């Protein structure tokens, strides 16, 4: 009989290496090593600086806007209207009330050269004293403007304007007060103080101002 060749037998020793190590443990599947996390996701650390926004530039072909011409400019400042204060006093006490008002003005910080005192009756003692040296010396002190100046109602039109004018209606004809108060109001830059009879003063101020 012809001999049938035997099928080759594969022995275990001829097989390839086993999937398990000699210890019998299954080899772990290798995992990818994670790379470093972005700095923005790490706690306690700031993220990368944000890029600055692009600078917007006006196109070169656009001409700058020209100011629109407006109407006629308003005056820089309107004429200030002085405040009026009335101090009731009799003709005999109006001069004392005026002196007290001047003292209060100086105590409050007013410069002596800011005050003009006008009398409708008898002249202020200071004016009488200064006029005794002559009108030139009297008006020289007025022009210097560094002290309180006292003037009679008849010559108040010659006096220059001052921030504060104090009028003592201390007698004299009714026409003296009627002419002196409007002039004193025109000379007062900020404040007009009138000492005298309220009815007479209101009548003059209402008609003359």
């Amino acid at each position: 009989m012809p001999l049938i060749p035997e099928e080759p037998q594969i022995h275990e020793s001829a097989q390839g290496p086993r999937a398990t190590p000699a210890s019998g443990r299954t080899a772990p599947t290798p995992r990818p090593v994670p790379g470093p996390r972005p700095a923005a996701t790490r706690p306690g650390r700031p993220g990368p600086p944000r890029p600055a926004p692009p600078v917007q530039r006006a196109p070169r072909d656009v001409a700058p806007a020209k100011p629109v011409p407006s109407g006629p400019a308003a005056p820089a400042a309107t004429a200030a209207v002085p405040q009026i204060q009335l101090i009731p006093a009799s003709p005999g006490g109006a001069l004392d009330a005026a002196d007290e008002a001047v003292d209060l003005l100086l105590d409050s910080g007013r410069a002596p050269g800011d005050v003009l005192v006008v009398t409708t009756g008898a002249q202020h003692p200071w004016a009488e004293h200064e006029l005794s040296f002559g009108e030139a010396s009297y008006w020289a002190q007025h022009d210097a403007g560094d002290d309180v100046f006292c003037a009679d109602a008849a010559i108040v039109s010659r006096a220059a304007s001052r921030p504060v004018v104090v009028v003592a209606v201390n007698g004299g004809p009714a026409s003296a007060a009627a002419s002196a108060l409007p002039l004193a109001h025109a000379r007062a830059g900020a404040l007009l103080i009138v000492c005298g009879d309220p009815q007479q003063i209101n009548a003059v101020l209402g008609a003359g101002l």
Side-chain angles (χ1 to χ4, degrees), residues 55-141:
V55 178
Q56 297 181 358
R57 297 181 179 179
R60 294 182 179 180
D61 57 348
V62 178
K66 296 182 180 180
V68 179
S70 58
T78 57
V81 178
Q83 296 181 353
I84 301 176
Q85 292 184 4
L86 173 60
I87 300 178
S90 63
L95 190 56
D96 291 337
D99 286 339
E100 291 178 3
V102 172
D103 291 340
L104 291 175
L105 290 169
L106 299 181
D107 292 342
S108 66
R110 278 285 181 183
D114 290 349
V115 183
L116 170 66
V117 178
V118 179
T119 56
T120 62
Q123 289 185 345
H124 194 282
W126 179 91
E128 288 184 352
H129 175 74
E130 296 301 326
L131 283 171
S132 65
F133 298 100
E135 288 193 4
S137 175
Y138 173 75
W139 287 108
Q141 296 193 42

Side-chain angles (χ1 to χ4, degrees), residues 81-86 185 190-194 201-202 205 209:
V81 178
Q83 296 181 353
I84 301 176
Q85 292 184 4
L86 173 60
H185 184 266
L191 179 62
L192 172 64
I193 300 176
V194 185
I201 295 171
N202 289 328
L205 291 178
L209 301 183

